[in-house]
Amino acid sequence: MSKTPNWQPISQLPLIAQMIDEELNDTQSQYQNLQPAVARPHILDDYTVERLIKVFGERQEFFGIYAEQLCRWKALNLNTEQKQELERLEKQLEKLVEVNSQIVTLAKQLESGTIEKVLGKSDLELGLEALEKIKF
């Protein structure tokens, strides 16, 4: 059973803006932190990858709430500054949704190459994989 969000008055625009901006910055940083694992997924363990998928997957649920809050505010009689801030936040939210989705996708791709997966392979399997990577 989901609860109805506690919709905020327009006076809370700065607080919501700060939340969206900080979440976007944190998400972009996390995406950058994952980049070394693209070439070397074995630097991650199963728990970390599973946690990334879970946390960033759950975060996606809140993006709809942010979008609805912004939409509700747009329906109000706003001053120019408020309108501009809402437009900026809509763009920030789009970026947040995109980067968050990229993290979930990347984490799912990294699942098959974690340290536990590598340690679970035989020497033969590892040797064949190494040979496949060599370009003749």
Side-chain angles (χ1 to χ4, degrees):
M1 181 159 94
S2 63
K3 296 191 289 186
T4 302
N6 185 14
W7 302 116
Q8 300 298 308
I10 192 69
S11 62
Q12 294 300 309
L13 178 60
L15 174 65
I16 300 299
Q18 179 182 0
M19 291 170 63
I20 291 172
D21 289 340
E22 287 178 1
E23 195 164 347
L24 175 58
N25 286 336
D26 292 346
T27 303
Q28 288 172 326
S29 292
Q30 185 63 50
Y31 184 74
Q32 289 305 314
N33 290 340
L34 285 172
Q35 291 311 300
V38 172
R40 300 174 42 214
H42 61 277
I43 65 175
L44 298 175
D45 60 25
D46 285 342
Y47 175 80
T48 301
V49 173
E50 289 169 14
R51 185 81 179 134
L52 285 166
I53 293 168
K54 182 179 188 304
V55 169
F56 286 90
E58 289 174 353
R59 287 174 76 182
Q60 292 173 332
E61 296 173 22
F62 293 102
F63 301 153
I65 295 171
Y66 282 143
E68 177 65 22
Q69 180 66 75
L70 298 178
C71 185
R72 286 172 179 257
W73 282 340
K74 283 181 76 173
L76 302 175
N77 185 16
L78 304 171
N79 64 39
T80 303
E81 184 179 304
Q82 290 168 326
K83 288 177 186 176
Q84 290 172 343
E85 180 66 351
L86 286 174
E87 288 176 18
R88 184 188 74 78
L89 288 175
E90 287 178 326
K91 290 176 184 162
Q92 291 287 86
L93 186 55
E94 286 177 22
K95 291 178 193 173
L96 177 57
V97 168
E98 177 62 27
V99 176
N100 194 87
S101 177
Q102 289 173 343
I103 288 176
V104 172
T105 300
L106 179 57
K108 287 179 180 179
Q109 292 170 352
L110 296 172
E111 268 183 310
S112 63
T114 63
I115 187 66
E116 288 89 350
K117 302 292 187 310
V118 171
L119 292 174
K121 293 179 181 180
S122 70
D123 290 342
L124 177 61
E125 289 173 303
L126 292 172
L128 289 173
E129 286 178 9
L131 287 174
E132 287 175 356
K133 292 178 183 177
I134 296 174
K135 298 186 185 200
F136 293 99

